[in-house]
Amino acid sequence: MQCGRFTFTFERPLVMGILNVTPDSFSDGGLYADPGKARMQAEKILADGADIIDIGGESTRPGAPPVPLDEELQRVIPLVKELSAAGIPVSVDTYKPEVMRHALAAGADLINDIWGFRMPGAIDAVRDSQCGLCVMHMLGEPQTMQVGEPVYDDVIADVRAFLEERVNTMIRTGVAKNRISVDPGFGFGKTVEHNYALLARLPETSPVVGTPLPILAGMSRKSMLGAVVNRPAPERVAASIAAAVCAAERGAAIIRVHDVAQTVDALKVWAATRDAARRA
Ligand code: 7PM
């Protein structure tokens, strides 16, 4: 997969470390809205072994108020410049075309869009670069997606059909398919049952365009884990690691997490087991 300055081959799943620069992120209390603290957290994510750092400037928490564009740019762009200049693979979590353009100019390698590049102008904002793209499935909008029970005809088929439509539209618009990854969007307009069905059948969620596209899985500290272990978000580290290993076993290419050090260790053990199975 082409990701800006980098080419990823996914011999093992890559770990994407989450850096929230929002005032209200649900699992870290927005500790990193302060630029100095954000930088320190970035250092830690990298020292812990992350392969990619994902910077988000607007909380996508269900019911969260939208953040004004200027504020999102002020929080995100200086960090993108600094990390990119240091040679670090930088992802930006945004659905706003204007943020995408600024992020790419600042050196971002990947644009991670929970809206699946559905905002008018989003595809045009990324088309003429070499950045990687993550196309995520979300039912409805962040404000409303968990109001009432989300309903699917067949959650696996519906998510894959959505991703296939988005990917085909992007390819038709001139985006090379080796730049595209897909994501079933755990927790975005899904019941607990839907989320586990998607995890169990993860490979089937990826549209096949010649070859299947790399899958990004983001379950870290989410309520689908809380529903099983009955713990609040900060105490879902072990549950998150189990979910990451399940995703790795099902072929995930990139795993998006808060707890980088623990996930990296767990995936090393998973990879050692996989390698031994290949030798057997
Ligand atoms: C509140 C609820 C705050 C949920 C933040 C979140 C994903 C993502 C997010 C994902 C991709 C979080 C989420 N989740 N991008 N951005 N995939 N590609 O847990 O699952 O960080 S925001």
PDB file of all heavy atoms in Angstrom, residues 242-276:
ATOM      1  N   ALA A 242      -7.048  -8.163  23.263  1.00  0.00           N
ATOM      2  CA  ALA A 242      -7.688  -9.377  22.749  1.00  0.00           C
ATOM      3  C   ALA A 242      -8.337  -9.096  21.391  1.00  0.00           C
ATOM      4  O   ALA A 242      -8.204  -9.881  20.436  1.00  0.00           O
ATOM      5  CB  ALA A 242      -8.721  -9.890  23.749  1.00  0.00           C
ATOM      6  N   ALA A 243      -9.007  -7.963  21.292  1.00  0.00           N
ATOM      7  CA  ALA A 243      -9.655  -7.589  20.021  1.00  0.00           C
ATOM      8  C   ALA A 243      -8.612  -7.400  18.915  1.00  0.00           C
ATOM      9  O   ALA A 243      -8.828  -7.808  17.766  1.00  0.00           O
ATOM     10  CB  ALA A 243     -10.475  -6.315  20.210  1.00  0.00           C
ATOM     11  N   ALA A 244      -7.483  -6.797  19.272  1.00  0.00           N
ATOM     12  CA  ALA A 244      -6.410  -6.588  18.277  1.00  0.00           C
ATOM     13  C   ALA A 244      -5.881  -7.924  17.769  1.00  0.00           C
ATOM     14  O   ALA A 244      -5.638  -8.088  16.562  1.00  0.00           O
ATOM     15  CB  ALA A 244      -5.277  -5.755  18.888  1.00  0.00           C
ATOM     16  N   VAL A 245      -5.701  -8.888  18.668  1.00  0.00           N
ATOM     17  CA  VAL A 245      -5.198 -10.211  18.269  1.00  0.00           C
ATOM     18  C   VAL A 245      -6.235 -10.918  17.392  1.00  0.00           C
ATOM     19  O   VAL A 245      -5.876 -11.533  16.379  1.00  0.00           O
ATOM     20  CB  VAL A 245      -4.810 -11.044  19.515  1.00  0.00           C
ATOM     21  CG1 VAL A 245      -4.479 -12.480  19.123  1.00  0.00           C
ATOM     22  CG2 VAL A 245      -3.630 -10.394  20.231  1.00  0.00           C
ATOM     23  N   CYS A 246      -7.503 -10.804  17.753  1.00  0.00           N
ATOM     24  CA  CYS A 246      -8.569 -11.384  16.906  1.00  0.00           C
ATOM     25  C   CYS A 246      -8.520 -10.786  15.508  1.00  0.00           C
ATOM     26  O   CYS A 246      -8.663 -11.502  14.503  1.00  0.00           O
ATOM     27  CB  CYS A 246      -9.947 -11.145  17.530  1.00  0.00           C
ATOM     28  SG  CYS A 246     -10.264 -12.130  18.992  1.00  0.00           S
ATOM     29  N   ALA A 247      -8.315  -9.479  15.432  1.00  0.00           N
ATOM     30  CA  ALA A 247      -8.256  -8.807  14.125  1.00  0.00           C
ATOM     31  C   ALA A 247      -7.023  -9.255  13.342  1.00  0.00           C
ATOM     32  O   ALA A 247      -7.091  -9.504  12.129  1.00  0.00           O
ATOM     33  CB  ALA A 247      -8.267  -7.295  14.307  1.00  0.00           C
ATOM     34  N   ALA A 248      -5.882  -9.384  14.042  1.00  0.00           N
ATOM     35  CA  ALA A 248      -4.652  -9.842  13.386  1.00  0.00           C
ATOM     36  C   ALA A 248      -4.860 -11.233  12.800  1.00  0.00           C
ATOM     37  O   ALA A 248      -4.488 -11.508  11.648  1.00  0.00           O
ATOM     38  CB  ALA A 248      -3.491  -9.853  14.389  1.00  0.00           C
ATOM     39  N   GLU A 249      -5.461 -12.105  13.586  1.00  0.00           N
ATOM     40  CA  GLU A 249      -5.712 -13.485  13.154  1.00  0.00           C
ATOM     41  C   GLU A 249      -6.590 -13.524  11.907  1.00  0.00           C
ATOM     42  O   GLU A 249      -6.494 -14.432  11.089  1.00  0.00           O
ATOM     43  CB  GLU A 249      -6.363 -14.251  14.319  1.00  0.00           C
ATOM     44  CG  GLU A 249      -6.534 -15.725  14.115  1.00  0.00           C
ATOM     45  CD  GLU A 249      -5.199 -16.483  14.064  1.00  0.00           C
ATOM     46  OE1 GLU A 249      -4.188 -15.972  14.592  1.00  0.00           O
ATOM     47  OE2 GLU A 249      -5.189 -17.583  13.486  1.00  0.00           O
ATOM     48  N   ARG A 250      -7.435 -12.509  11.759  1.00  0.00           N
ATOM     49  CA  ARG A 250      -8.347 -12.435  10.606  1.00  0.00           C
ATOM     50  C   ARG A 250      -7.808 -11.535   9.502  1.00  0.00           C
ATOM     51  O   ARG A 250      -8.550 -11.102   8.629  1.00  0.00           O
ATOM     52  CB  ARG A 250      -9.727 -11.993  11.086  1.00  0.00           C
ATOM     53  CG  ARG A 250     -10.443 -13.097  11.859  1.00  0.00           C
ATOM     54  CD  ARG A 250     -11.576 -12.567  12.710  1.00  0.00           C
ATOM     55  NE  ARG A 250     -12.216 -13.651  13.458  1.00  0.00           N
ATOM     56  CZ  ARG A 250     -11.704 -14.219  14.555  1.00  0.00           C
ATOM     57  NH1 ARG A 250     -10.543 -13.793  15.036  1.00  0.00           N
ATOM     58  NH2 ARG A 250     -12.338 -15.204  15.155  1.00  0.00           N
ATOM     59  N   GLY A 251      -6.519 -11.256   9.570  1.00  0.00           N
ATOM     60  CA  GLY A 251      -5.873 -10.612   8.431  1.00  0.00           C
ATOM     61  C   GLY A 251      -5.837  -9.104   8.425  1.00  0.00           C
ATOM     62  O   GLY A 251      -5.497  -8.500   7.398  1.00  0.00           O
ATOM     63  N   ALA A 252      -6.181  -8.453   9.532  1.00  0.00           N
ATOM     64  CA  ALA A 252      -6.134  -6.982   9.558  1.00  0.00           C
ATOM     65  C   ALA A 252      -4.734  -6.494   9.188  1.00  0.00           C
ATOM     66  O   ALA A 252      -3.731  -7.066   9.614  1.00  0.00           O
ATOM     67  CB  ALA A 252      -6.526  -6.458  10.941  1.00  0.00           C
ATOM     68  N   ALA A 253      -4.670  -5.437   8.402  1.00  0.00           N
ATOM     69  CA  ALA A 253      -3.388  -4.878   7.955  1.00  0.00           C
ATOM     70  C   ALA A 253      -2.894  -3.795   8.904  1.00  0.00           C
ATOM     71  O   ALA A 253      -1.685  -3.632   9.098  1.00  0.00           O
ATOM     72  CB  ALA A 253      -3.539  -4.305   6.546  1.00  0.00           C
ATOM     73  N   ILE A 254      -3.825  -3.034   9.464  1.00  0.00           N
ATOM     74  CA  ILE A 254      -3.493  -1.937  10.376  1.00  0.00           C
ATOM     75  C   ILE A 254      -4.459  -2.012  11.561  1.00  0.00           C
ATOM     76  O   ILE A 254      -5.669  -2.199  11.367  1.00  0.00           O
ATOM     77  CB  ILE A 254      -3.624  -0.559   9.686  1.00  0.00           C
ATOM     78  CG1 ILE A 254      -2.770  -0.492   8.407  1.00  0.00           C
ATOM     79  CG2 ILE A 254      -3.250   0.577  10.658  1.00  0.00           C
ATOM     80  CD1 ILE A 254      -2.931   0.800   7.594  1.00  0.00           C
ATOM     81  N   ILE A 255      -3.916  -1.867  12.766  1.00  0.00           N
ATOM     82  CA  ILE A 255      -4.747  -1.912  13.959  1.00  0.00           C
ATOM     83  C   ILE A 255      -4.562  -0.596  14.716  1.00  0.00           C
ATOM     84  O   ILE A 255      -3.433  -0.205  15.035  1.00  0.00           O
ATOM     85  CB  ILE A 255      -4.392  -3.151  14.818  1.00  0.00           C
ATOM     86  CG1 ILE A 255      -4.561  -4.405  13.937  1.00  0.00           C
ATOM     87  CG2 ILE A 255      -5.276  -3.214  16.064  1.00  0.00           C
ATOM     88  CD1 ILE A 255      -4.258  -5.715  14.612  1.00  0.00           C
ATOM     89  N   ARG A 256      -5.682   0.108  14.917  1.00  0.00           N
ATOM     90  CA  ARG A 256      -5.664   1.455  15.496  1.00  0.00           C
ATOM     91  C   ARG A 256      -5.930   1.359  16.995  1.00  0.00           C
ATOM     92  O   ARG A 256      -6.998   0.886  17.388  1.00  0.00           O
ATOM     93  CB  ARG A 256      -6.744   2.286  14.798  1.00  0.00           C
ATOM     94  CG  ARG A 256      -6.819   3.730  15.203  1.00  0.00           C
ATOM     95  CD  ARG A 256      -7.902   4.445  14.399  1.00  0.00           C
ATOM     96  NE  ARG A 256      -8.087   5.808  14.831  1.00  0.00           N
ATOM     97  CZ  ARG A 256      -8.803   6.181  15.874  1.00  0.00           C
ATOM     98  NH1 ARG A 256      -9.429   5.284  16.599  1.00  0.00           N
ATOM     99  NH2 ARG A 256      -8.910   7.458  16.181  1.00  0.00           N
ATOM    100  N   VAL A 257      -4.946   1.802  17.810  1.00  0.00           N
ATOM    101  CA  VAL A 257      -5.042   1.567  19.255  1.00  0.00           C
ATOM    102  C   VAL A 257      -4.570   2.754  20.095  1.00  0.00           C
ATOM    103  O   VAL A 257      -3.770   3.577  19.652  1.00  0.00           O
ATOM    104  CB  VAL A 257      -4.212   0.329  19.675  1.00  0.00           C
ATOM    105  CG1 VAL A 257      -4.625  -0.916  18.896  1.00  0.00           C
ATOM    106  CG2 VAL A 257      -2.715   0.566  19.542  1.00  0.00           C
ATOM    107  N   HIS A 258      -5.065   2.789  21.337  1.00  0.00           N
ATOM    108  CA  HIS A 258      -4.559   3.734  22.333  1.00  0.00           C
ATOM    109  C   HIS A 258      -3.330   3.161  23.038  1.00  0.00           C
ATOM    110  O   HIS A 258      -2.397   3.901  23.344  1.00  0.00           O
ATOM    111  CB  HIS A 258      -5.614   4.014  23.412  1.00  0.00           C
ATOM    112  CG  HIS A 258      -6.865   4.656  22.895  1.00  0.00           C
ATOM    113  ND1 HIS A 258      -7.939   3.927  22.435  1.00  0.00           N
ATOM    114  CD2 HIS A 258      -7.210   5.960  22.772  1.00  0.00           C
ATOM    115  CE1 HIS A 258      -8.899   4.759  22.048  1.00  0.00           C
ATOM    116  NE2 HIS A 258      -8.481   5.994  22.239  1.00  0.00           N
ATOM    117  N   ASP A 259      -3.361   1.857  23.349  1.00  0.00           N
ATOM    118  CA  ASP A 259      -2.347   1.241  24.208  1.00  0.00           C
ATOM    119  C   ASP A 259      -1.291   0.560  23.342  1.00  0.00           C
ATOM    120  O   ASP A 259      -1.288  -0.657  23.148  1.00  0.00           O
ATOM    121  CB  ASP A 259      -3.039   0.267  25.166  1.00  0.00           C
ATOM    122  CG  ASP A 259      -4.119   0.997  25.945  1.00  0.00           C
ATOM    123  OD1 ASP A 259      -3.771   1.821  26.804  1.00  0.00           O
ATOM    124  OD2 ASP A 259      -5.315   0.785  25.638  1.00  0.00           O
ATOM    125  N   VAL A 260      -0.376   1.388  22.848  1.00  0.00           N
ATOM    126  CA  VAL A 260       0.563   0.933  21.816  1.00  0.00           C
ATOM    127  C   VAL A 260       1.520  -0.130  22.344  1.00  0.00           C
ATOM    128  O   VAL A 260       1.663  -1.194  21.734  1.00  0.00           O
ATOM    129  CB  VAL A 260       1.333   2.136  21.225  1.00  0.00           C
ATOM    130  CG1 VAL A 260       2.431   1.676  20.282  1.00  0.00           C
ATOM    131  CG2 VAL A 260       0.371   3.084  20.509  1.00  0.00           C
ATOM    132  N   ALA A 261       2.196   0.131  23.460  1.00  0.00           N
ATOM    133  CA  ALA A 261       3.225  -0.799  23.950  1.00  0.00           C
ATOM    134  C   ALA A 261       2.647  -2.199  24.164  1.00  0.00           C
ATOM    135  O   ALA A 261       3.241  -3.197  23.723  1.00  0.00           O
ATOM    136  CB  ALA A 261       3.843  -0.275  25.251  1.00  0.00           C
ATOM    137  N   GLN A 262       1.506  -2.268  24.812  1.00  0.00           N
ATOM    138  CA  GLN A 262       0.888  -3.563  25.109  1.00  0.00           C
ATOM    139  C   GLN A 262       0.458  -4.273  23.822  1.00  0.00           C
ATOM    140  O   GLN A 262       0.602  -5.495  23.684  1.00  0.00           O
ATOM    141  CB  GLN A 262      -0.337  -3.372  26.028  1.00  0.00           C
ATOM    142  CG  GLN A 262       0.006  -2.827  27.417  1.00  0.00           C
ATOM    143  CD  GLN A 262      -0.081  -1.303  27.492  1.00  0.00           C
ATOM    144  OE1 GLN A 262       0.184  -0.601  26.514  1.00  0.00           O
ATOM    145  NE2 GLN A 262      -0.432  -0.791  28.654  1.00  0.00           N
ATOM    146  N   THR A 263      -0.078  -3.525  22.881  1.00  0.00           N
ATOM    147  CA  THR A 263      -0.545  -4.121  21.625  1.00  0.00           C
ATOM    148  C   THR A 263       0.634  -4.639  20.808  1.00  0.00           C
ATOM    149  O   THR A 263       0.568  -5.731  20.226  1.00  0.00           O
ATOM    150  CB  THR A 263      -1.345  -3.092  20.799  1.00  0.00           C
ATOM    151  OG1 THR A 263      -2.364  -2.531  21.625  1.00  0.00           O
ATOM    152  CG2 THR A 263      -1.981  -3.740  19.581  1.00  0.00           C
ATOM    153  N   VAL A 264       1.730  -3.865  20.780  1.00  0.00           N
ATOM    154  CA  VAL A 264       2.918  -4.290  20.029  1.00  0.00           C
ATOM    155  C   VAL A 264       3.438  -5.615  20.587  1.00  0.00           C
ATOM    156  O   VAL A 264       3.734  -6.547  19.816  1.00  0.00           O
ATOM    157  CB  VAL A 264       3.998  -3.183  20.047  1.00  0.00           C
ATOM    158  CG1 VAL A 264       5.343  -3.710  19.548  1.00  0.00           C
ATOM    159  CG2 VAL A 264       3.551  -1.989  19.193  1.00  0.00           C
ATOM    160  N   ASP A 265       3.535  -5.738  21.902  1.00  0.00           N
ATOM    161  CA  ASP A 265       3.977  -6.997  22.514  1.00  0.00           C
ATOM    162  C   ASP A 265       3.047  -8.147  22.136  1.00  0.00           C
ATOM    163  O   ASP A 265       3.501  -9.225  21.743  1.00  0.00           O
ATOM    164  CB  ASP A 265       3.994  -6.870  24.050  1.00  0.00           C
ATOM    165  CG  ASP A 265       5.320  -6.325  24.575  1.00  0.00           C
ATOM    166  OD1 ASP A 265       6.165  -5.902  23.758  1.00  0.00           O
ATOM    167  OD2 ASP A 265       5.500  -6.327  25.815  1.00  0.00           O
ATOM    168  N   ALA A 266       1.768  -7.936  22.280  1.00  0.00           N
ATOM    169  CA  ALA A 266       0.790  -8.996  21.989  1.00  0.00           C
ATOM    170  C   ALA A 266       0.908  -9.446  20.532  1.00  0.00           C
ATOM    171  O   ALA A 266       0.889 -10.643  20.233  1.00  0.00           O
ATOM    172  CB  ALA A 266      -0.627  -8.506  22.287  1.00  0.00           C
ATOM    173  N   LEU A 267       1.089  -8.492  19.634  1.00  0.00           N
ATOM    174  CA  LEU A 267       1.164  -8.843  18.210  1.00  0.00           C
ATOM    175  C   LEU A 267       2.480  -9.539  17.864  1.00  0.00           C
ATOM    176  O   LEU A 267       2.535 -10.314  16.910  1.00  0.00           O
ATOM    177  CB  LEU A 267       0.939  -7.603  17.334  1.00  0.00           C
ATOM    178  CG  LEU A 267      -0.494  -7.046  17.379  1.00  0.00           C
ATOM    179  CD1 LEU A 267      -0.600  -5.778  16.547  1.00  0.00           C
ATOM    180  CD2 LEU A 267      -1.514  -8.083  16.903  1.00  0.00           C
ATOM    181  N   LYS A 268       3.535  -9.266  18.644  1.00  0.00           N
ATOM    182  CA  LYS A 268       4.791 -10.007  18.437  1.00  0.00           C
ATOM    183  C   LYS A 268       4.592 -11.486  18.752  1.00  0.00           C
ATOM    184  O   LYS A 268       5.093 -12.359  18.029  1.00  0.00           O
ATOM    185  CB  LYS A 268       5.906  -9.428  19.321  1.00  0.00           C
ATOM    186  CG  LYS A 268       6.504  -8.144  18.768  1.00  0.00           C
ATOM    187  CD  LYS A 268       7.600  -7.623  19.682  1.00  0.00           C
ATOM    188  CE  LYS A 268       8.231  -6.357  19.109  1.00  0.00           C
ATOM    189  NZ  LYS A 268       9.098  -5.683  20.110  1.00  0.00           N
ATOM    190  N   VAL A 269       3.868 -11.770  19.816  1.00  0.00           N
ATOM    191  CA  VAL A 269       3.595 -13.164  20.183  1.00  0.00           C
ATOM    192  C   VAL A 269       2.694 -13.815  19.132  1.00  0.00           C
ATOM    193  O   VAL A 269       2.930 -14.942  18.701  1.00  0.00           O
ATOM    194  CB  VAL A 269       2.965 -13.246  21.596  1.00  0.00           C
ATOM    195  CG1 VAL A 269       2.531 -14.677  21.918  1.00  0.00           C
ATOM    196  CG2 VAL A 269       3.955 -12.734  22.641  1.00  0.00           C
ATOM    197  N   TRP A 270       1.688 -13.073  18.710  1.00  0.00           N
ATOM    198  CA  TRP A 270       0.807 -13.578  17.637  1.00  0.00           C
ATOM    199  C   TRP A 270       1.633 -13.898  16.380  1.00  0.00           C
ATOM    200  O   TRP A 270       1.479 -14.958  15.779  1.00  0.00           O
ATOM    201  CB  TRP A 270      -0.284 -12.541  17.315  1.00  0.00           C
ATOM    202  CG  TRP A 270      -1.053 -12.942  16.097  1.00  0.00           C
ATOM    203  CD1 TRP A 270      -2.089 -13.817  16.039  1.00  0.00           C
ATOM    204  CD2 TRP A 270      -0.764 -12.547  14.748  1.00  0.00           C
ATOM    205  NE1 TRP A 270      -2.485 -13.988  14.727  1.00  0.00           N
ATOM    206  CE2 TRP A 270      -1.690 -13.223  13.921  1.00  0.00           C
ATOM    207  CE3 TRP A 270       0.172 -11.689  14.157  1.00  0.00           C
ATOM    208  CZ2 TRP A 270      -1.696 -13.056  12.535  1.00  0.00           C
ATOM    209  CZ3 TRP A 270       0.163 -11.536  12.786  1.00  0.00           C
ATOM    210  CH2 TRP A 270      -0.772 -12.219  11.987  1.00  0.00           C
ATOM    211  N   ALA A 271       2.546 -12.985  16.004  1.00  0.00           N
ATOM    212  CA  ALA A 271       3.339 -13.164  14.776  1.00  0.00           C
ATOM    213  C   ALA A 271       4.302 -14.348  14.911  1.00  0.00           C
ATOM    214  O   ALA A 271       4.502 -15.098  13.942  1.00  0.00           O
ATOM    215  CB  ALA A 271       4.104 -11.883  14.451  1.00  0.00           C
ATOM    216  N   ALA A 272       4.880 -14.535  16.095  1.00  0.00           N
ATOM    217  CA  ALA A 272       5.791 -15.663  16.320  1.00  0.00           C
ATOM    218  C   ALA A 272       5.038 -16.985  16.141  1.00  0.00           C
ATOM    219  O   ALA A 272       5.565 -17.948  15.565  1.00  0.00           O
ATOM    220  CB  ALA A 272       6.414 -15.575  17.712  1.00  0.00           C
ATOM    221  N   THR A 273       3.796 -17.008  16.606  1.00  0.00           N
ATOM    222  CA  THR A 273       2.963 -18.211  16.475  1.00  0.00           C
ATOM    223  C   THR A 273       2.600 -18.456  15.014  1.00  0.00           C
ATOM    224  O   THR A 273       2.685 -19.580  14.511  1.00  0.00           O
ATOM    225  CB  THR A 273       1.685 -18.053  17.335  1.00  0.00           C
ATOM    226  OG1 THR A 273       2.058 -17.652  18.649  1.00  0.00           O
ATOM    227  CG2 THR A 273       0.902 -19.355  17.391  1.00  0.00           C
ATOM    228  N   ARG A 274       2.221 -17.411  14.335  1.00  0.00           N
ATOM    229  CA  ARG A 274       1.917 -17.517  12.903  1.00  0.00           C
ATOM    230  C   ARG A 274       3.124 -18.029  12.122  1.00  0.00           C
ATOM    231  O   ARG A 274       2.997 -18.917  11.269  1.00  0.00           O
ATOM    232  CB  ARG A 274       1.493 -16.157  12.362  1.00  0.00           C
ATOM    233  CG  ARG A 274       1.253 -16.177  10.856  1.00  0.00           C
ATOM    234  CD  ARG A 274       1.307 -14.794  10.235  1.00  0.00           C
ATOM    235  NE  ARG A 274       2.616 -14.155  10.437  1.00  0.00           N
ATOM    236  CZ  ARG A 274       2.930 -12.939  10.024  1.00  0.00           C
ATOM    237  NH1 ARG A 274       2.013 -12.201   9.413  1.00  0.00           N
ATOM    238  NH2 ARG A 274       4.127 -12.428  10.234  1.00  0.00           N
ATOM    239  N   ASP A 275       4.315 -17.485  12.437  1.00  0.00           N
ATOM    240  CA  ASP A 275       5.516 -17.892  11.714  1.00  0.00           C
ATOM    241  C   ASP A 275       5.836 -19.365  11.967  1.00  0.00           C
ATOM    242  O   ASP A 275       6.257 -20.078  11.053  1.00  0.00           O
ATOM    243  CB  ASP A 275       6.695 -16.999  12.112  1.00  0.00           C
ATOM    244  CG  ASP A 275       6.503 -15.558  11.654  1.00  0.00           C
ATOM    245  OD1 ASP A 275       5.595 -15.321  10.810  1.00  0.00           O
ATOM    246  OD2 ASP A 275       7.208 -14.661  12.137  1.00  0.00           O
ATOM    247  N   ALA A 276       5.645 -19.816  13.206  1.00  0.00           N
ATOM    248  CA  ALA A 276       5.882 -21.221  13.524  1.00  0.00           C
ATOM    249  C   ALA A 276       4.883 -22.120  12.778  1.00  0.00           C
ATOM    250  O   ALA A 276       5.259 -23.190  12.285  1.00  0.00           O
ATOM    251  CB  ALA A 276       5.769 -21.450  15.033  1.00  0.00           C
TER     252      ALA A 276
END
